[in-house]
mmCIF file of all heavy atoms in Angstrom:
data_model
loop_
_atom_site.group_PDB
_atom_site.id
_atom_site.type_symbol
_atom_site.label_atom_id
_atom_site.label_comp_id
_atom_site.label_asym_id
_atom_site.label_seq_id
_atom_site.Cartn_x
_atom_site.Cartn_y
_atom_site.Cartn_z
ATOM 1 N N GLY A 1 5.083 -6.858 -14.202
ATOM 2 C CA GLY A 1 4.050 -6.456 -15.146
ATOM 3 C C GLY A 1 2.803 -5.870 -14.405
ATOM 4 O O GLY A 1 2.146 -5.001 -14.950
ATOM 5 N N ASN A 2 2.593 -6.264 -13.123
ATOM 6 C CA ASN A 2 1.582 -5.643 -12.361
ATOM 7 C C ASN A 2 2.001 -4.177 -11.947
ATOM 8 O O ASN A 2 3.213 -3.909 -12.040
ATOM 9 C CB ASN A 2 1.239 -6.476 -11.118
ATOM 10 C CG ASN A 2 0.198 -7.557 -11.450
ATOM 11 O OD1 ASN A 2 -0.258 -7.673 -12.520
ATOM 12 N ND2 ASN A 2 -0.023 -8.419 -10.484
ATOM 13 N N ARG A 3 1.085 -3.424 -11.439
ATOM 14 C CA ARG A 3 1.442 -2.111 -10.921
ATOM 15 C C ARG A 3 1.239 -2.054 -9.407
ATOM 16 O O ARG A 3 0.635 -2.851 -8.799
ATOM 17 C CB ARG A 3 0.575 -1.045 -11.587
ATOM 18 C CG ARG A 3 0.759 -0.869 -13.104
ATOM 19 C CD ARG A 3 -0.086 0.220 -13.654
ATOM 20 N NE ARG A 3 0.067 0.386 -15.080
ATOM 21 C CZ ARG A 3 0.974 1.224 -15.662
ATOM 22 N NH1 ARG A 3 1.849 1.899 -14.887
ATOM 23 N NH2 ARG A 3 1.047 1.329 -16.957
ATOM 24 N N ILE A 4 1.855 -0.955 -8.829
ATOM 25 C CA ILE A 4 1.711 -0.814 -7.367
ATOM 26 C C ILE A 4 0.270 -0.722 -7.017
ATOM 27 O O ILE A 4 -0.138 -1.282 -6.030
ATOM 28 C CB ILE A 4 2.453 0.514 -6.950
ATOM 29 C CG1 ILE A 4 3.989 0.342 -7.090
ATOM 30 C CG2 ILE A 4 2.121 0.850 -5.518
ATOM 31 C CD1 ILE A 4 4.554 -0.698 -6.221
ATOM 32 N N GLY A 5 -0.584 -0.091 -7.860
ATOM 33 C CA GLY A 5 -2.042 0.030 -7.495
ATOM 34 C C GLY A 5 -2.678 -1.351 -7.410
ATOM 35 O O GLY A 5 -3.700 -1.436 -6.673
ATOM 36 N N ASP A 6 -2.181 -2.279 -8.111
ATOM 37 C CA ASP A 6 -2.747 -3.639 -8.042
ATOM 38 C C ASP A 6 -2.579 -4.236 -6.622
ATOM 39 O O ASP A 6 -3.462 -4.904 -6.104
ATOM 40 C CB ASP A 6 -2.199 -4.547 -9.088
ATOM 41 C CG ASP A 6 -2.444 -4.092 -10.512
ATOM 42 O OD1 ASP A 6 -3.596 -3.527 -10.731
ATOM 43 O OD2 ASP A 6 -1.553 -4.246 -11.339
ATOM 44 N N ILE A 7 -1.345 -3.998 -6.072
ATOM 45 C CA ILE A 7 -1.162 -4.450 -4.660
ATOM 46 C C ILE A 7 -2.044 -3.694 -3.763
ATOM 47 O O ILE A 7 -2.709 -4.355 -2.922
ATOM 48 C CB ILE A 7 0.347 -4.140 -4.311
ATOM 49 C CG1 ILE A 7 1.300 -4.857 -5.268
ATOM 50 C CG2 ILE A 7 0.645 -4.511 -2.801
ATOM 51 C CD1 ILE A 7 2.802 -4.424 -5.088
ATOM 52 N N SER A 8 -2.065 -2.378 -3.887
ATOM 53 C CA SER A 8 -2.908 -1.539 -2.988
ATOM 54 C C SER A 8 -4.390 -1.980 -3.017
ATOM 55 O O SER A 8 -4.996 -2.131 -1.956
ATOM 56 C CB SER A 8 -2.838 -0.095 -3.468
ATOM 57 O OG SER A 8 -1.470 0.358 -3.554
ATOM 58 N N HIS A 9 -4.941 -2.222 -4.181
ATOM 59 C CA HIS A 9 -6.325 -2.558 -4.392
ATOM 60 C C HIS A 9 -6.624 -3.945 -3.739
ATOM 61 O O HIS A 9 -7.671 -4.140 -3.105
ATOM 62 C CB HIS A 9 -6.728 -2.531 -5.888
ATOM 63 C CG HIS A 9 -8.152 -2.850 -6.140
ATOM 64 N ND1 HIS A 9 -9.181 -2.028 -5.773
ATOM 65 C CD2 HIS A 9 -8.708 -3.981 -6.650
ATOM 66 C CE1 HIS A 9 -10.297 -2.611 -6.153
ATOM 67 N NE2 HIS A 9 -10.087 -3.804 -6.665
ATOM 68 N N ALA A 10 -5.721 -4.844 -3.990
ATOM 69 C CA ALA A 10 -5.956 -6.265 -3.446
ATOM 70 C C ALA A 10 -6.005 -6.240 -1.928
ATOM 71 O O ALA A 10 -6.846 -6.899 -1.323
ATOM 72 C CB ALA A 10 -4.859 -7.165 -3.961
ATOM 73 N N ILE A 11 -5.069 -5.450 -1.264
ATOM 74 C CA ILE A 11 -5.087 -5.352 0.163
ATOM 75 C C ILE A 11 -6.404 -4.693 0.703
ATOM 76 O O ILE A 11 -7.048 -5.222 1.586
ATOM 77 C CB ILE A 11 -3.833 -4.614 0.642
ATOM 78 C CG1 ILE A 11 -2.572 -5.419 0.372
ATOM 79 C CG2 ILE A 11 -3.997 -4.196 2.093
ATOM 80 C CD1 ILE A 11 -1.249 -4.664 0.605
ATOM 81 N N GLN A 12 -6.695 -3.600 0.127
ATOM 82 C CA GLN A 12 -7.968 -2.819 0.567
ATOM 83 C C GLN A 12 -9.198 -3.691 0.417
ATOM 84 O O GLN A 12 -10.004 -3.755 1.301
ATOM 85 C CB GLN A 12 -8.083 -1.527 -0.185
ATOM 86 C CG GLN A 12 -9.257 -0.735 0.203
ATOM 87 C CD GLN A 12 -9.484 0.552 -0.575
ATOM 88 O OE1 GLN A 12 -8.805 0.772 -1.640
ATOM 89 N NE2 GLN A 12 -10.323 1.434 -0.100
ATOM 90 N N SER A 13 -9.288 -4.347 -0.743
ATOM 91 C CA SER A 13 -10.488 -5.143 -1.067
ATOM 92 C C SER A 13 -10.660 -6.271 0.066
ATOM 93 O O SER A 13 -11.779 -6.476 0.540
ATOM 94 C CB SER A 13 -10.348 -5.804 -2.395
ATOM 95 O OG SER A 13 -10.384 -4.780 -3.387
ATOM 96 N N HIS A 14 -9.585 -6.899 0.403
ATOM 97 C CA HIS A 14 -9.643 -8.014 1.403
ATOM 98 C C HIS A 14 -10.048 -7.505 2.798
ATOM 99 O O HIS A 14 -10.890 -7.926 3.473
ATOM 100 C CB HIS A 14 -8.350 -8.775 1.460
ATOM 101 C CG HIS A 14 -8.427 -9.979 2.284
ATOM 102 N ND1 HIS A 14 -9.262 -11.066 2.096
ATOM 103 C CD2 HIS A 14 -7.807 -10.274 3.513
ATOM 104 C CE1 HIS A 14 -9.181 -11.935 3.035
ATOM 105 N NE2 HIS A 14 -8.295 -11.510 3.934
ATOM 106 N N ALA A 15 -9.310 -6.456 3.200
ATOM 107 C CA ALA A 15 -9.570 -5.807 4.478
ATOM 108 C C ALA A 15 -10.980 -5.355 4.642
ATOM 109 O O ALA A 15 -11.597 -5.670 5.667
ATOM 110 C CB ALA A 15 -8.610 -4.689 4.825
ATOM 111 N N GLU A 16 -11.494 -4.639 3.738
ATOM 112 C CA GLU A 16 -12.891 -4.038 3.812
ATOM 113 C C GLU A 16 -13.855 -5.128 3.668
ATOM 114 O O GLU A 16 -14.908 -5.018 4.309
ATOM 115 C CB GLU A 16 -12.956 -2.903 2.834
ATOM 116 C CG GLU A 16 -12.076 -1.760 3.081
ATOM 117 C CD GLU A 16 -12.273 -0.624 2.159
ATOM 118 O OE1 GLU A 16 -12.971 -0.814 1.054
ATOM 119 O OE2 GLU A 16 -11.695 0.431 2.404
ATOM 120 N N ALA A 17 -13.593 -6.169 2.928
ATOM 121 C CA ALA A 17 -14.574 -7.265 2.819
ATOM 122 C C ALA A 17 -14.737 -8.021 4.161
ATOM 123 O O ALA A 17 -15.785 -8.622 4.462
ATOM 124 C CB ALA A 17 -14.189 -8.287 1.796
ATOM 125 N N GLN A 18 -13.744 -7.852 5.037
ATOM 126 C CA GLN A 18 -13.790 -8.516 6.374
ATOM 127 C C GLN A 18 -14.272 -7.504 7.443
ATOM 128 O O GLN A 18 -14.246 -7.849 8.636
ATOM 129 C CB GLN A 18 -12.396 -9.008 6.767
ATOM 130 C CG GLN A 18 -11.886 -10.139 5.875
ATOM 131 C CD GLN A 18 -12.768 -11.362 5.896
ATOM 132 O OE1 GLN A 18 -13.157 -11.776 6.990
ATOM 133 N NE2 GLN A 18 -13.086 -11.935 4.701
ATOM 134 N N GLY A 19 -14.664 -6.289 7.004
ATOM 135 C CA GLY A 19 -15.240 -5.324 7.926
ATOM 136 C C GLY A 19 -14.241 -4.417 8.607
ATOM 137 O O GLY A 19 -14.657 -3.689 9.559
ATOM 138 N N PHE A 20 -13.024 -4.389 8.159
ATOM 139 C CA PHE A 20 -11.970 -3.554 8.748
ATOM 140 C C PHE A 20 -11.620 -2.418 7.827
ATOM 141 O O PHE A 20 -12.019 -2.335 6.684
ATOM 142 C CB PHE A 20 -10.738 -4.368 9.030
ATOM 143 C CG PHE A 20 -10.928 -5.481 9.997
ATOM 144 C CD1 PHE A 20 -10.448 -6.784 9.748
ATOM 145 C CD2 PHE A 20 -11.507 -5.270 11.211
ATOM 146 C CE1 PHE A 20 -10.653 -7.784 10.680
ATOM 147 C CE2 PHE A 20 -11.701 -6.271 12.175
ATOM 148 C CZ PHE A 20 -11.266 -7.528 11.865
ATOM 149 N N SER A 21 -10.813 -1.463 8.328
ATOM 150 C CA SER A 21 -10.449 -0.243 7.547
ATOM 151 C C SER A 21 -8.840 -0.301 7.334
ATOM 152 O O SER A 21 -8.158 -0.848 8.126
ATOM 153 C CB SER A 21 -10.853 1.021 8.176
ATOM 154 O OG SER A 21 -10.210 1.200 9.404
ATOM 155 N N VAL A 22 -8.450 0.388 6.307
ATOM 156 C CA VAL A 22 -7.000 0.418 5.897
ATOM 157 C C VAL A 22 -6.498 1.850 6.195
ATOM 158 O O VAL A 22 -7.008 2.862 5.698
ATOM 159 C CB VAL A 22 -6.840 0.124 4.443
ATOM 160 C CG1 VAL A 22 -5.346 0.123 4.093
ATOM 161 C CG2 VAL A 22 -7.442 -1.274 4.120
ATOM 162 N N VAL A 23 -5.444 1.951 6.961
ATOM 163 C CA VAL A 23 -4.768 3.229 7.297
ATOM 164 C C VAL A 23 -4.257 3.817 5.945
ATOM 165 O O VAL A 23 -3.594 3.149 5.177
ATOM 166 C CB VAL A 23 -3.671 3.026 8.317
ATOM 167 C CG1 VAL A 23 -2.831 4.316 8.493
ATOM 168 C CG2 VAL A 23 -4.221 2.576 9.654
ATOM 169 N N ARG A 24 -4.485 5.114 5.743
ATOM 170 C CA ARG A 24 -4.089 5.817 4.633
ATOM 171 C C ARG A 24 -2.781 6.565 4.719
ATOM 172 O O ARG A 24 -2.086 6.839 3.734
ATOM 173 C CB ARG A 24 -5.171 6.844 4.194
ATOM 174 C CG ARG A 24 -6.224 6.386 3.203
ATOM 175 C CD ARG A 24 -7.176 5.366 3.753
ATOM 176 N NE ARG A 24 -8.400 5.256 2.889
ATOM 177 C CZ ARG A 24 -9.219 4.236 2.923
ATOM 178 N NH1 ARG A 24 -9.030 3.245 3.770
ATOM 179 N NH2 ARG A 24 -10.264 4.213 2.127
ATOM 180 N N ASP A 25 -2.452 6.937 5.943
ATOM 181 C CA ASP A 25 -1.347 7.915 6.081
ATOM 182 C C ASP A 25 0.039 7.336 6.085
ATOM 183 O O ASP A 25 0.988 8.064 6.041
ATOM 184 C CB ASP A 25 -1.548 8.576 7.431
ATOM 185 C CG ASP A 25 -2.853 9.360 7.541
ATOM 186 O OD1 ASP A 25 -3.881 8.702 7.692
ATOM 187 O OD2 ASP A 25 -2.780 10.621 7.528
ATOM 188 N N PHE A 26 0.214 6.012 6.075
ATOM 189 C CA PHE A 26 1.535 5.404 6.069
ATOM 190 C C PHE A 26 1.518 4.359 4.916
ATOM 191 O O PHE A 26 0.526 3.694 4.614
ATOM 192 C CB PHE A 26 1.858 4.769 7.356
ATOM 193 C CG PHE A 26 1.921 5.679 8.522
ATOM 194 C CD1 PHE A 26 0.863 5.846 9.359
ATOM 195 C CD2 PHE A 26 3.060 6.498 8.715
ATOM 196 C CE1 PHE A 26 0.908 6.758 10.390
ATOM 197 C CE2 PHE A 26 3.091 7.438 9.751
ATOM 198 C CZ PHE A 26 2.027 7.542 10.591
ATOM 199 N N THR A 27 2.688 4.185 4.268
ATOM 200 C CA THR A 27 2.742 3.303 3.125
ATOM 201 C C THR A 27 4.023 2.460 3.229
ATOM 202 O O THR A 27 4.885 2.717 4.001
ATOM 203 C CB THR A 27 2.879 4.101 1.807
ATOM 204 O OG1 THR A 27 4.210 4.754 1.719
ATOM 205 C CG2 THR A 27 1.823 5.185 1.673
ATOM 206 N N GLY A 28 3.992 1.356 2.410
ATOM 207 C CA GLY A 28 5.250 0.700 2.209
ATOM 208 C C GLY A 28 6.188 1.519 1.374
ATOM 209 O O GLY A 28 5.785 2.560 0.840
ATOM 210 N N HIS A 29 7.442 1.098 1.233
ATOM 211 C CA HIS A 29 8.446 2.010 0.667
ATOM 212 C C HIS A 29 9.599 1.187 0.066
ATOM 213 O O HIS A 29 9.839 0.089 0.468
ATOM 214 C CB HIS A 29 8.975 2.926 1.719
ATOM 215 C CG HIS A 29 9.452 2.224 2.993
ATOM 216 N ND1 HIS A 29 10.706 1.732 3.081
ATOM 217 C CD2 HIS A 29 8.815 1.953 4.091
ATOM 218 C CE1 HIS A 29 10.818 1.162 4.302
ATOM 219 N NE2 HIS A 29 9.634 1.281 4.951
ATOM 220 N N GLY A 30 10.265 1.785 -0.879
ATOM 221 C CA GLY A 30 11.545 1.252 -1.347
ATOM 222 C C GLY A 30 12.576 1.179 -0.189
ATOM 223 O O GLY A 30 12.490 2.012 0.728
ATOM 224 N N ILE A 31 13.431 0.266 -0.315
ATOM 225 C CA ILE A 31 14.468 0.116 0.766
ATOM 226 C C ILE A 31 15.733 -0.559 0.089
ATOM 227 O O ILE A 31 15.632 -1.323 -0.917
ATOM 228 C CB ILE A 31 13.980 -0.822 1.931
ATOM 229 C CG1 ILE A 31 14.978 -0.813 3.055
ATOM 230 C CG2 ILE A 31 13.561 -2.188 1.459
ATOM 231 C CD1 ILE A 31 14.363 -1.442 4.334
ATOM 232 N N GLY A 32 16.890 -0.301 0.629
ATOM 233 C CA GLY A 32 18.195 -0.752 0.125
ATOM 234 C C GLY A 32 19.280 -0.419 1.133
ATOM 235 O O GLY A 32 19.396 -1.055 2.204
ATOM 236 N N GLN A 33 20.039 0.619 0.792
ATOM 237 C CA GLN A 33 21.052 1.108 1.719
ATOM 238 C C GLN A 33 20.509 2.256 2.568
ATOM 239 O O GLN A 33 21.221 2.729 3.481
ATOM 240 C CB GLN A 33 22.314 1.470 0.962
ATOM 241 C CG GLN A 33 23.010 0.281 0.355
ATOM 242 C CD GLN A 33 24.404 0.613 -0.207
ATOM 243 O OE1 GLN A 33 24.500 1.256 -1.302
ATOM 244 N NE2 GLN A 33 25.439 0.176 0.431
ATOM 245 N N THR A 34 19.329 2.733 2.183
ATOM 246 C CA THR A 34 18.593 3.727 3.038
ATOM 247 C C THR A 34 17.204 3.121 3.328
ATOM 248 O O THR A 34 16.675 2.341 2.594
ATOM 249 C CB THR A 34 18.518 5.097 2.336
ATOM 250 O OG1 THR A 34 17.827 4.922 1.143
ATOM 251 C CG2 THR A 34 19.851 5.702 2.143
ATOM 252 N N MET A 35 16.703 3.625 4.478
ATOM 253 C CA MET A 35 15.465 3.008 4.944
ATOM 254 C C MET A 35 14.262 3.307 4.072
ATOM 255 O O MET A 35 13.359 2.434 3.915
ATOM 256 C CB MET A 35 15.215 3.468 6.422
ATOM 257 C CG MET A 35 14.137 2.722 7.104
ATOM 258 S SD MET A 35 13.820 3.000 8.841
ATOM 259 C CE MET A 35 15.047 4.194 9.378
ATOM 260 N N HIS A 36 14.232 4.533 3.532
ATOM 261 C CA HIS A 36 13.042 4.949 2.761
ATOM 262 C C HIS A 36 13.524 5.423 1.396
ATOM 263 O O HIS A 36 13.979 6.603 1.220
ATOM 264 C CB HIS A 36 12.254 6.045 3.460
ATOM 265 C CG HIS A 36 11.646 5.585 4.731
ATOM 266 N ND1 HIS A 36 12.041 6.057 5.971
ATOM 267 C CD2 HIS A 36 10.693 4.715 5.032
ATOM 268 C CE1 HIS A 36 11.374 5.532 6.958
ATOM 269 N NE2 HIS A 36 10.493 4.668 6.462
ATOM 270 N N GLU A 37 13.427 4.579 0.411
ATOM 271 C CA GLU A 37 13.726 4.964 -0.919
ATOM 272 C C GLU A 37 12.485 5.464 -1.663
ATOM 273 O O GLU A 37 11.386 5.344 -1.049
ATOM 274 C CB GLU A 37 14.377 3.826 -1.735
ATOM 275 C CG GLU A 37 15.715 3.437 -1.216
ATOM 276 C CD GLU A 37 16.435 2.309 -2.036
ATOM 277 O OE1 GLU A 37 15.809 1.820 -2.939
ATOM 278 O OE2 GLU A 37 17.622 2.045 -1.733
ATOM 279 N N ASP A 38 12.583 5.974 -2.828
ATOM 280 C CA ASP A 38 11.519 6.740 -3.462
ATOM 281 C C ASP A 38 10.212 6.007 -3.627
ATOM 282 O O ASP A 38 9.146 6.616 -3.573
ATOM 283 C CB ASP A 38 11.943 7.247 -4.839
ATOM 284 C CG ASP A 38 12.883 8.463 -4.760
ATOM 285 O OD1 ASP A 38 12.889 9.115 -3.639
ATOM 286 O OD2 ASP A 38 13.538 8.818 -5.771
ATOM 287 N N LEU A 39 10.199 4.734 -3.963
ATOM 288 C CA LEU A 39 9.024 3.988 -4.259
ATOM 289 C C LEU A 39 8.061 3.990 -3.061
ATOM 290 O O LEU A 39 8.471 3.622 -1.936
ATOM 291 C CB LEU A 39 9.312 2.564 -4.636
ATOM 292 C CG LEU A 39 8.185 1.756 -5.273
ATOM 293 C CD1 LEU A 39 7.617 2.305 -6.485
ATOM 294 C CD2 LEU A 39 8.599 0.288 -5.379
ATOM 295 N N GLN A 40 6.775 4.318 -3.270
ATOM 296 C CA GLN A 40 5.808 4.184 -2.182
ATOM 297 C C GLN A 40 4.775 3.178 -2.559
ATOM 298 O O GLN A 40 4.346 3.084 -3.740
ATOM 299 C CB GLN A 40 5.106 5.600 -2.009
ATOM 300 C CG GLN A 40 6.014 6.635 -1.358
ATOM 301 C CD GLN A 40 5.245 7.899 -0.931
ATOM 302 O OE1 GLN A 40 4.148 8.137 -1.390
ATOM 303 N NE2 GLN A 40 5.810 8.567 -0.006
ATOM 304 N N VAL A 41 4.346 2.424 -1.544
ATOM 305 C CA VAL A 41 3.353 1.370 -1.753
ATOM 306 C C VAL A 41 2.164 1.560 -0.818
ATOM 307 O O VAL A 41 2.208 1.053 0.329
ATOM 308 C CB VAL A 41 4.019 -0.026 -1.466
ATOM 309 C CG1 VAL A 41 3.061 -1.174 -1.808
ATOM 310 C CG2 VAL A 41 5.318 -0.150 -2.240
ATOM 311 N N PRO A 42 1.162 2.269 -1.267
ATOM 312 C CA PRO A 42 -0.050 2.454 -0.425
ATOM 313 C C PRO A 42 -0.741 1.116 -0.325
ATOM 314 O O PRO A 42 -0.633 0.224 -1.077
ATOM 315 C CB PRO A 42 -0.895 3.424 -1.215
ATOM 316 C CG PRO A 42 0.024 4.044 -2.214
ATOM 317 C CD PRO A 42 1.096 3.050 -2.471
ATOM 318 N N HIS A 43 -1.582 1.035 0.781
ATOM 319 C CA HIS A 43 -2.286 -0.278 0.990
ATOM 320 C C HIS A 43 -3.797 -0.040 0.685
ATOM 321 O O HIS A 43 -4.643 -0.886 1.073
ATOM 322 C CB HIS A 43 -2.065 -0.656 2.437
ATOM 323 C CG HIS A 43 -0.642 -0.783 2.752
ATOM 324 N ND1 HIS A 43 0.011 0.130 3.597
ATOM 325 C CD2 HIS A 43 0.285 -1.652 2.304
ATOM 326 C CE1 HIS A 43 1.303 -0.215 3.689
ATOM 327 N NE2 HIS A 43 1.456 -1.322 2.939
ATOM 328 N N TYR A 44 -4.130 0.950 -0.117
ATOM 329 C CA TYR A 44 -5.460 1.175 -0.531
ATOM 330 C C TYR A 44 -5.337 1.876 -1.905
ATOM 331 O O TYR A 44 -4.324 2.463 -2.184
ATOM 332 C CB TYR A 44 -6.291 2.067 0.360
ATOM 333 C CG TYR A 44 -5.799 3.547 0.363
ATOM 334 C CD1 TYR A 44 -6.548 4.455 -0.374
ATOM 335 C CD2 TYR A 44 -4.670 3.939 1.016
ATOM 336 C CE1 TYR A 44 -6.130 5.792 -0.419
ATOM 337 C CE2 TYR A 44 -4.181 5.216 0.933
ATOM 338 C CZ TYR A 44 -4.902 6.184 0.252
ATOM 339 O OH TYR A 44 -4.528 7.471 0.203
ATOM 340 N N GLY A 45 -6.379 1.774 -2.741
ATOM 341 C CA GLY A 45 -6.320 2.468 -3.999
ATOM 342 C C GLY A 45 -6.857 1.676 -5.170
ATOM 343 O O GLY A 45 -7.505 0.627 -4.975
ATOM 344 N N ARG A 46 -6.811 2.270 -6.335
ATOM 345 C CA ARG A 46 -7.387 1.693 -7.513
ATOM 346 C C ARG A 46 -6.356 0.786 -8.313
ATOM 347 O O ARG A 46 -5.116 1.086 -8.259
ATOM 348 C CB ARG A 46 -7.867 2.814 -8.426
ATOM 349 C CG ARG A 46 -8.987 3.651 -7.825
ATOM 350 C CD ARG A 46 -9.239 4.867 -8.646
ATOM 351 N NE ARG A 46 -9.780 4.456 -9.951
ATOM 352 C CZ ARG A 46 -10.066 5.318 -10.916
ATOM 353 N NH1 ARG A 46 -9.748 6.643 -10.773
ATOM 354 N NH2 ARG A 46 -10.523 4.925 -12.092
#
């Protein structure tokens, strides 16, 4: 029921509240029988 953006926002909020920054250029990803499936999971966002 949650969205990918909920994951992204929760991570960014915690990191920045502690004075750190979140890398934008790499994301989590879908995985199964191949290493990178279509789903992307950014670690920052709305």
Side-chain angles (χ1 to χ4, degrees):
N2 279 355
R3 294 182 181 272
I4 292 295
D6 298 324
I7 301 171
S8 308
H9 180 71
I11 290 170
Q12 181 182 13
S13 297
H14 185 65
E16 293 182 351
Q18 298 297 317
F20 297 132
S21 68
V22 181
V23 172
R24 267 70 164 163
D25 298 74
F26 299 99
T27 70
H29 51 86
I31 186 171
Q33 291 189 289
T34 57
M35 193 172 357
H36 298 111
E37 294 183 354
D38 281 346
L39 188 65
Q40 290 192 335
V41 186
H43 305 108
Y44 72 100
R46 298 171 63 187

